[in-house]
Structures are given as structure tokens and as C-alpha cells.
Amino acid sequence: MITQLRGVNDLPSPYLGFQQFLPSSQYIISNLSVRHDDSKWPTLRFEFSGEVSGRVKEFFLDWFYYGFPKNMMSSLVDSYSEVHVISGNPDFFYGRDYKGMTSATAFINGTCLEVEFFTGEDKGIKRFMSSLRRVGDLHISEPECRFHRLGFHASGHTGEWFEDMRIARLSWDSLYSGITIGSNYLQGNSTGVFHDKGRTVHRYSIFQEGCFERAVTLDLWDRFSDIEFLGYKLRSGGNMLKRAGRTVDGSPILSLTGSGPAIAGVRTEEIEGAVAFSLGFSVTEIKKFMDSNRKWILAQFHG
């Protein structure tokens, strides 16, 4: 169902569980709508004009690793164009999306914001992205930060793609144990498990700093199960995620920049997996974490 909104005063929308964001008042907002109670994930959409013009889509992305610009990625390691990370508040990805549009993608407190620009120069685009602010009283509403409560597929809705299916068939629960990477502690968020014939064949766990300020995803699967679409095949690198090193077991570490986002492989004779890091983790921190905690990572497969 698509519900048209009268204007910005109708936000935050009660139909949407994720936090919602608008640019500053110097931009004119039009065509506000929300998609909800639908066969696809809940979404906020609107158009804007001013120094730059374009269209914004906001939602909670749960069918791929948190913090990756999926709209710009043509495969696990490739993109439709060169992708840059632009430092700001927030940091954002800048490139071409799957429609060939000039695009910026940011993640703020769990919300994925995909922006397509119709007009505008680089400096104006950066000013627009920096102007985005959460809608609503920060002191009244405590934001929901559990992956499996925000996620559309994590709540059991399947979709058209194998990635949707991977998430939808997992049985989800809250996760409370944490991890330390470098000097930073990440709290457990959610964990999902899929059993086949009484045994674990897939485990997916998310850890976060704050409310998705940074996130790490442990994605582990049974190498010999005949269930379709359990995991990804990590190749050595592409035009987006390039090889930045190897873990102690020889698996690749793939990263866009020296501080992520990155995917590191892990494997044994029976288990294979990917550990995905959002922006903000250095390749050095990632390698140290993977090598020092290899046994612990693999042990998470069974919970």
C-alpha cells in the first residue's frame, strides 16, 4: 500500500519502524509517500529541489550486509561505476546506481538513505547530505535498534531474490554477547539460525556500536549442505571491493578503502563464512580481529 503524505508535518510516519530523515528547510520537499503493509519492505520516498534536486528513498536494508551501498553493487565485489567514500556528517558513498543515476548512499542509525540526484554539483551534493537530520523529538521516542525487529525479510517476508530468501528463512532472536575490535566494544544485536534435518546449516549474527553507528555481520554456513543459497563465494576482488590482505587461513580480506567497508572470509573443512564490516574499521584491525578470534568466530555457527 502506498500512502501519500500531505507534507513534512506528517513525519515521522507511524507506518515506519525505522528512523526517518529530512534535509534542512532550504530544500523544497514534494511527493512525500510511504510504502507499508505491502509485499515489499516499508519505504519513505520524497523529492527535493533547491541548490541540488533529486529523489530520496529511505528504508531498513536487511537482505545484504549492513553498511554496504547495495544499490551501487552489481555483484558481491563489483559496482556499476567507481564508488567513492565522501567524509562528512554522515559519511556517504558516491557513484552510479543500478539505473545509471548519480547517487549517494548513507546509513544513519540503521536507516539506509539512497539519494538519486537530477541536478547539482559535487559541493552541493555534499551540503545536501550533511543537512539530513532525524525527524521527531529525540528525547521522546527511543529508536528501535534490533535488526530482526526492523528488518522486513528478517521478520519472515520472503522476496524475489536469493538474498531475500537467505534472511527470511532464518529463525531470529536478540543477541546479547558482544565483541571487541581494536579498543571498541560492539554489543550483540540479533542472530538468526536455519536448521535442516535437525542440524545447523546457516547462522547470521549482527553486532553494533551504539545504534548501528558501526556494525559487524557474522555470516556462517555449512559447506556441504545441499540447501540452495546458503552463502556467497568470495573471490579475490573486483572493481569495488579489492583484495586488501588474507586471513590466517588464507581467506581473502576485501575492502573498498583502508577503513572499509570490508568483507573477510573464514573457513574450515566443514564451515565457510564471511564477516562483513561497515565503514570505520581499518584493514589492520580487521585482520587482527579475524586472526585472533578465528576459533570464536567459527564457534558462533552453533550459537
Side-chain angles (χ1 to χ4, degrees), residues 145-161:
C145 290
R146 291 284 181 188
F147 182 92
H148 68 294
R149 293 176 186 154
L150 288 166
F152 179 75
H153 299 296
S155 60
H157 299 88
T158 191
E160 301 173 357
W161 305 100

PDB file of all heavy atoms in Angstrom, residues 145-161:
ATOM      1  N   CYS A 145      16.449  -0.490  17.573  1.00  0.00           N
ATOM      2  CA  CYS A 145      17.769  -0.775  17.019  1.00  0.00           C
ATOM      3  C   CYS A 145      18.048  -2.267  16.885  1.00  0.00           C
ATOM      4  O   CYS A 145      19.201  -2.644  16.691  1.00  0.00           O
ATOM      5  CB  CYS A 145      18.856  -0.117  17.871  1.00  0.00           C
ATOM      6  SG  CYS A 145      18.883   1.682  17.747  1.00  0.00           S
ATOM      7  N   ARG A 146      17.025  -3.108  16.981  1.00  0.00           N
ATOM      8  CA  ARG A 146      17.213  -4.543  16.781  1.00  0.00           C
ATOM      9  C   ARG A 146      17.003  -4.876  15.310  1.00  0.00           C
ATOM     10  O   ARG A 146      15.941  -4.608  14.739  1.00  0.00           O
ATOM     11  CB  ARG A 146      16.253  -5.347  17.641  1.00  0.00           C
ATOM     12  CG  ARG A 146      16.541  -5.290  19.134  1.00  0.00           C
ATOM     13  CD  ARG A 146      17.725  -6.145  19.519  1.00  0.00           C
ATOM     14  NE  ARG A 146      17.956  -6.096  20.968  1.00  0.00           N
ATOM     15  CZ  ARG A 146      19.007  -6.617  21.576  1.00  0.00           C
ATOM     16  NH1 ARG A 146      19.938  -7.248  20.866  1.00  0.00           N
ATOM     17  NH2 ARG A 146      19.135  -6.525  22.874  1.00  0.00           N
ATOM     18  N   PHE A 147      18.003  -5.483  14.709  1.00  0.00           N
ATOM     19  CA  PHE A 147      17.976  -5.832  13.293  1.00  0.00           C
ATOM     20  C   PHE A 147      16.729  -6.629  12.926  1.00  0.00           C
ATOM     21  O   PHE A 147      16.049  -6.339  11.940  1.00  0.00           O
ATOM     22  CB  PHE A 147      19.242  -6.630  12.972  1.00  0.00           C
ATOM     23  CG  PHE A 147      19.401  -7.044  11.546  1.00  0.00           C
ATOM     24  CD1 PHE A 147      20.104  -6.242  10.649  1.00  0.00           C
ATOM     25  CD2 PHE A 147      18.893  -8.251  11.092  1.00  0.00           C
ATOM     26  CE1 PHE A 147      20.274  -6.636   9.330  1.00  0.00           C
ATOM     27  CE2 PHE A 147      19.063  -8.647   9.773  1.00  0.00           C
ATOM     28  CZ  PHE A 147      19.753  -7.831   8.892  1.00  0.00           C
ATOM     29  N   HIS A 148      16.402  -7.661  13.727  1.00  0.00           N
ATOM     30  CA  HIS A 148      15.305  -8.543  13.355  1.00  0.00           C
ATOM     31  C   HIS A 148      13.933  -7.930  13.588  1.00  0.00           C
ATOM     32  O   HIS A 148      12.931  -8.438  13.081  1.00  0.00           O
ATOM     33  CB  HIS A 148      15.427  -9.891  14.078  1.00  0.00           C
ATOM     34  CG  HIS A 148      15.225  -9.838  15.557  1.00  0.00           C
ATOM     35  ND1 HIS A 148      16.092  -9.189  16.408  1.00  0.00           N
ATOM     36  CD2 HIS A 148      14.247 -10.370  16.354  1.00  0.00           C
ATOM     37  CE1 HIS A 148      15.681  -9.335  17.658  1.00  0.00           C
ATOM     38  NE2 HIS A 148      14.567 -10.038  17.641  1.00  0.00           N
ATOM     39  N   ARG A 149      13.867  -6.832  14.340  1.00  0.00           N
ATOM     40  CA  ARG A 149      12.596  -6.136  14.515  1.00  0.00           C
ATOM     41  C   ARG A 149      12.389  -5.070  13.440  1.00  0.00           C
ATOM     42  O   ARG A 149      11.261  -4.737  13.094  1.00  0.00           O
ATOM     43  CB  ARG A 149      12.519  -5.512  15.904  1.00  0.00           C
ATOM     44  CG  ARG A 149      12.461  -6.548  17.023  1.00  0.00           C
ATOM     45  CD  ARG A 149      12.484  -5.893  18.375  1.00  0.00           C
ATOM     46  NE  ARG A 149      12.560  -6.886  19.442  1.00  0.00           N
ATOM     47  CZ  ARG A 149      13.071  -6.651  20.643  1.00  0.00           C
ATOM     48  NH1 ARG A 149      13.568  -5.440  20.913  1.00  0.00           N
ATOM     49  NH2 ARG A 149      13.110  -7.599  21.554  1.00  0.00           N
ATOM     50  N   LEU A 150      13.477  -4.539  12.936  1.00  0.00           N
ATOM     51  CA  LEU A 150      13.396  -3.541  11.873  1.00  0.00           C
ATOM     52  C   LEU A 150      13.319  -4.168  10.490  1.00  0.00           C
ATOM     53  O   LEU A 150      12.736  -3.604   9.568  1.00  0.00           O
ATOM     54  CB  LEU A 150      14.622  -2.619  11.932  1.00  0.00           C
ATOM     55  CG  LEU A 150      14.671  -1.623  13.080  1.00  0.00           C
ATOM     56  CD1 LEU A 150      16.070  -1.020  13.207  1.00  0.00           C
ATOM     57  CD2 LEU A 150      13.649  -0.516  12.873  1.00  0.00           C
ATOM     58  N   GLY A 151      13.914  -5.334  10.326  1.00  0.00           N
ATOM     59  CA  GLY A 151      14.040  -5.936   9.010  1.00  0.00           C
ATOM     60  C   GLY A 151      12.734  -6.523   8.485  1.00  0.00           C
ATOM     61  O   GLY A 151      12.008  -7.208   9.211  1.00  0.00           O
ATOM     62  N   PHE A 152      12.457  -6.296   7.228  1.00  0.00           N
ATOM     63  CA  PHE A 152      11.268  -6.839   6.564  1.00  0.00           C
ATOM     64  C   PHE A 152      11.444  -8.331   6.308  1.00  0.00           C
ATOM     65  O   PHE A 152      10.575  -9.135   6.622  1.00  0.00           O
ATOM     66  CB  PHE A 152      11.044  -6.089   5.252  1.00  0.00           C
ATOM     67  CG  PHE A 152       9.872  -6.568   4.453  1.00  0.00           C
ATOM     68  CD1 PHE A 152       8.583  -6.245   4.843  1.00  0.00           C
ATOM     69  CD2 PHE A 152      10.046  -7.321   3.305  1.00  0.00           C
ATOM     70  CE1 PHE A 152       7.472  -6.682   4.096  1.00  0.00           C
ATOM     71  CE2 PHE A 152       8.958  -7.759   2.558  1.00  0.00           C
ATOM     72  CZ  PHE A 152       7.672  -7.435   2.956  1.00  0.00           C
ATOM     73  N   HIS A 153      12.571  -8.720   5.742  1.00  0.00           N
ATOM     74  CA  HIS A 153      12.819 -10.133   5.457  1.00  0.00           C
ATOM     75  C   HIS A 153      13.140 -10.896   6.740  1.00  0.00           C
ATOM     76  O   HIS A 153      12.777 -12.069   6.876  1.00  0.00           O
ATOM     77  CB  HIS A 153      13.941 -10.280   4.444  1.00  0.00           C
ATOM     78  CG  HIS A 153      13.624  -9.617   3.132  1.00  0.00           C
ATOM     79  ND1 HIS A 153      12.595 -10.024   2.322  1.00  0.00           N
ATOM     80  CD2 HIS A 153      14.177  -8.549   2.514  1.00  0.00           C
ATOM     81  CE1 HIS A 153      12.540  -9.252   1.253  1.00  0.00           C
ATOM     82  NE2 HIS A 153      13.485  -8.352   1.346  1.00  0.00           N
ATOM     83  N   ALA A 154      13.803 -10.231   7.687  1.00  0.00           N
ATOM     84  CA  ALA A 154      14.123 -10.881   8.961  1.00  0.00           C
ATOM     85  C   ALA A 154      12.871 -11.191   9.773  1.00  0.00           C
ATOM     86  O   ALA A 154      12.915 -12.028  10.677  1.00  0.00           O
ATOM     87  CB  ALA A 154      15.075 -10.007   9.776  1.00  0.00           C
ATOM     88  N   SER A 155      11.765 -10.535   9.450  1.00  0.00           N
ATOM     89  CA  SER A 155      10.506 -10.844  10.140  1.00  0.00           C
ATOM     90  C   SER A 155       9.696 -11.886   9.389  1.00  0.00           C
ATOM     91  O   SER A 155       8.523 -12.105   9.690  1.00  0.00           O
ATOM     92  CB  SER A 155       9.677  -9.572  10.339  1.00  0.00           C
ATOM     93  OG  SER A 155       9.370  -8.961   9.096  1.00  0.00           O
ATOM     94  N   GLY A 156      10.321 -12.535   8.381  1.00  0.00           N
ATOM     95  CA  GLY A 156       9.699 -13.685   7.739  1.00  0.00           C
ATOM     96  C   GLY A 156       9.163 -13.464   6.348  1.00  0.00           C
ATOM     97  O   GLY A 156       8.679 -14.411   5.715  1.00  0.00           O
ATOM     98  N   HIS A 157       9.227 -12.242   5.821  1.00  0.00           N
ATOM     99  CA  HIS A 157       8.733 -11.968   4.468  1.00  0.00           C
ATOM    100  C   HIS A 157       9.793 -12.348   3.441  1.00  0.00           C
ATOM    101  O   HIS A 157      10.894 -11.819   3.468  1.00  0.00           O
ATOM    102  CB  HIS A 157       8.388 -10.489   4.304  1.00  0.00           C
ATOM    103  CG  HIS A 157       7.322 -10.004   5.223  1.00  0.00           C
ATOM    104  ND1 HIS A 157       7.600  -9.529   6.490  1.00  0.00           N
ATOM    105  CD2 HIS A 157       5.983  -9.927   5.074  1.00  0.00           C
ATOM    106  CE1 HIS A 157       6.469  -9.169   7.080  1.00  0.00           C
ATOM    107  NE2 HIS A 157       5.474  -9.404   6.237  1.00  0.00           N
ATOM    108  N   THR A 158       9.453 -13.229   2.555  1.00  0.00           N
ATOM    109  CA  THR A 158      10.394 -13.575   1.507  1.00  0.00           C
ATOM    110  C   THR A 158      10.227 -12.609   0.338  1.00  0.00           C
ATOM    111  O   THR A 158       9.347 -11.758   0.338  1.00  0.00           O
ATOM    112  CB  THR A 158      10.207 -15.037   1.049  1.00  0.00           C
ATOM    113  OG1 THR A 158      11.300 -15.412   0.216  1.00  0.00           O
ATOM    114  CG2 THR A 158       8.900 -15.209   0.284  1.00  0.00           C
ATOM    115  N   GLY A 159      11.107 -12.733  -0.657  1.00  0.00           N
ATOM    116  CA  GLY A 159      11.062 -11.808  -1.775  1.00  0.00           C
ATOM    117  C   GLY A 159      11.408 -12.490  -3.078  1.00  0.00           C
ATOM    118  O   GLY A 159      11.288 -13.710  -3.210  1.00  0.00           O
ATOM    119  N   GLU A 160      11.889 -11.699  -4.045  1.00  0.00           N
ATOM    120  CA  GLU A 160      12.137 -12.203  -5.388  1.00  0.00           C
ATOM    121  C   GLU A 160      13.563 -12.719  -5.572  1.00  0.00           C
ATOM    122  O   GLU A 160      13.847 -13.407  -6.548  1.00  0.00           O
ATOM    123  CB  GLU A 160      11.883 -11.096  -6.409  1.00  0.00           C
ATOM    124  CG  GLU A 160      10.460 -10.528  -6.363  1.00  0.00           C
ATOM    125  CD  GLU A 160      10.301  -9.340  -7.271  1.00  0.00           C
ATOM    126  OE1 GLU A 160      11.303  -8.922  -7.902  1.00  0.00           O
ATOM    127  OE2 GLU A 160       9.182  -8.804  -7.363  1.00  0.00           O
ATOM    128  N   TRP A 161      14.466 -12.383  -4.667  1.00  0.00           N
ATOM    129  CA  TRP A 161      15.881 -12.657  -4.873  1.00  0.00           C
ATOM    130  C   TRP A 161      16.389 -13.680  -3.856  1.00  0.00           C
ATOM    131  O   TRP A 161      15.849 -13.826  -2.754  1.00  0.00           O
ATOM    132  CB  TRP A 161      16.695 -11.364  -4.741  1.00  0.00           C
ATOM    133  CG  TRP A 161      16.204 -10.294  -5.662  1.00  0.00           C
ATOM    134  CD1 TRP A 161      15.396  -9.240  -5.343  1.00  0.00           C
ATOM    135  CD2 TRP A 161      16.456 -10.188  -7.069  1.00  0.00           C
ATOM    136  NE1 TRP A 161      15.150  -8.480  -6.441  1.00  0.00           N
ATOM    137  CE2 TRP A 161      15.783  -9.031  -7.517  1.00  0.00           C
ATOM    138  CE3 TRP A 161      17.191 -10.950  -7.973  1.00  0.00           C
ATOM    139  CZ2 TRP A 161      15.820  -8.627  -8.852  1.00  0.00           C
ATOM    140  CZ3 TRP A 161      17.232 -10.551  -9.304  1.00  0.00           C
ATOM    141  CH2 TRP A 161      16.552  -9.413  -9.729  1.00  0.00           C
TER     142      TRP A 161
END
